Every structure is written in structure tokens, then in C-alpha cells.
Amino acid sequence: VMPPALLEVAARGLRLGDAGRPSRTLMIGPIGVGKLMVVRALAAEVGKPVLRVDVGELLRGADRLDERMARVGREAMLRGAVVVLRGGTALEDQATPLAERLAELACRLPGAVVFTNHTRPSWLIHAVNDLVEVAVPAPGVHEREALWRAALGPDRTLVDDDTVEEVAGRFALGGSAITRAAERAVVQAQLRGRTHLTLSDLT
């Protein structure tokens, strides 16, 4: 479950269920903010899986880029998947022939394609026609509380509300970081046979 405010921001640009021309979206946000989580949540709403592809890995094999992207296209078509090209910093604000070729091949992929990056690569706007930009802001304190509760699971006896509010207020983490921290804390608690988490367990 994602906070509605985050989903509303992304839904303006992510037309994942459109039957018309497949959408091409650039999702920008700081590391760990939860860009992939948002895409997965919105894709699930329209019954689509997500195919995650690391741009850095693609660009490391220049001579095999066309072949790799063809494989991505076949898998996306077979699964009816939304393709997420995770840039991190790999796309950056600098066009290279290889990066431009990647953008060209991405335009040919079936279905929706989402580029994710920490910063805005302005060259990509010109390389991909009708590219829609979506900025994913860092979650506010109330959104962080919702993310912590969702990540800790349905067992409300595991951690009390005061602890969730304190950790959300004290640490300005993004969605991915919260998910990782919560999952780690729950696993550690299970291994130790504990039935309650404290603030120190979550930090």
C-alpha cells in the first residue's frame, strides 16, 4: 500500500493502462524515494507486472545493446509488462551516442515505458517524443508513517503507533529505504522470537 498523495503525483503522468499510444514517462526523484514502488503500485491497479531493467548494465555492453533491448521487448510483450528502465545516475545530463541509441530503442518497446533517474537528463526530453516528466517528492511525515505501517505488515501488535510516529518524524527516509528497514527489523524479530519492536529495532 502506497500513500495516496504519492500515487496521485505519479498517476498524472503514468498512463499505464491506456489502450491508445503507449506512454513514455521520465520519473525523477532522489535515491530511495520509492520511484519503483510507485510504478509497481500503479501497475498493479491496472493488472500489469513490472519488468525492471538496469540502464547501467545495458550501457556496459555497447556491442550487445540492440540484442538486449530486443530481449526486453519480447519479454515485455509476452508478459504485458510495464518496462522500467532504472537509470539511477546512468542517464545523467549528458547525451552520448550509446545513450541516444538506448532512448531510440526504448521508443520501440511495446506498452508503457518508465525511465527513472535521480536527476533530470534534459537530453532525454528531446530524444523521446511525448515524454512526460513526473517528479516524485520525498514523502512528508504523514506519508512516512503510512509507509512504515504498510512495510511492517498487518500485525499491529508488532509495533505501537507512538513508535511508528517517532521513527517517521525523526528520520526523513524515502519509500524504498523504509521498506528495507522495516523488512530487516521484522526478520530480525522473528529470528530472535520477539513479538514487539522498539524504536532502536527500526533505526
Side-chain angles (χ1 to χ4, degrees), residues 102-200:
L102 171 69
E104 180 185 339
L105 294 170
C107 290
R108 301 179 190 174
L109 292 173
V113 176
V114 181
F115 298 88
T116 65
N117 215 57
H118 301 335
T119 57
R120 180 185 184 269
S122 58
W123 69 267
L124 190 64
I125 310 302
H126 304 292
V128 179
N129 289 333
D130 301 322
L131 185 69
V132 177
E133 296 182 60
V134 176
V136 180
V141 64
H142 296 301
E143 291 164 335
R144 292 198 298 271
E145 288 176 16
L147 286 164
W148 274 109
R149 289 190 175 96
L152 288 166
D155 184 1
R156 291 290 175 259
T157 64
L158 188 62
V159 60
D160 58 57
D161 287 341
D162 289 344
T163 300
V164 170
E165 290 170 10
E166 187 169 357
V167 73
R170 188 180 295 187
F171 301 100
L173 302 178
S176 297
I178 287 172
T179 298
R180 288 194 298 271
E183 288 175 349
R184 184 171 59 246
V186 170
V187 168
Q188 289 297 320
Q190 291 171 342
L191 289 174
R192 295 171 184 169
R194 294 176 56 192
T195 59
H196 190 75
L197 295 175
T198 65
L199 182 63
S200 62

Side-chain angles (χ1 to χ4, degrees), residues 58-116:
L58 287 174
L59 297 181
R60 270 194 277 277
D63 57 332
R64 300 182 59 197
L65 179 60
D66 285 46
E67 174 194 338
R68 289 175 173 176
M69 287 295 284
R71 277 206 310 269
V72 169
R74 286 194 296 272
E75 186 173 350
M77 184 177 292
L78 286 171
R79 295 173 55 190
V82 175
V83 176
V84 176
L85 295 171
R86 297 189 73 186
T89 57
L91 295 173
E92 295 193 344
D93 198 8
Q94 181 179 354
T96 65
L98 187 59
E100 289 181 336
R101 178 60 178 165
L102 171 69
E104 180 185 339
L105 294 170
C107 290
R108 301 179 190 174
L109 292 173
V113 176
V114 181
F115 298 88
T116 65

Side-chain angles (χ1 to χ4, degrees), residues 17-36:
D18 282 6
R21 185 175 180 180
S23 63
R24 301 290 182 255
T25 308
L26 168 62
M27 182 173 279
I28 311 157
I31 186 170
V33 77
K35 296 181 289 293
L36 183 61

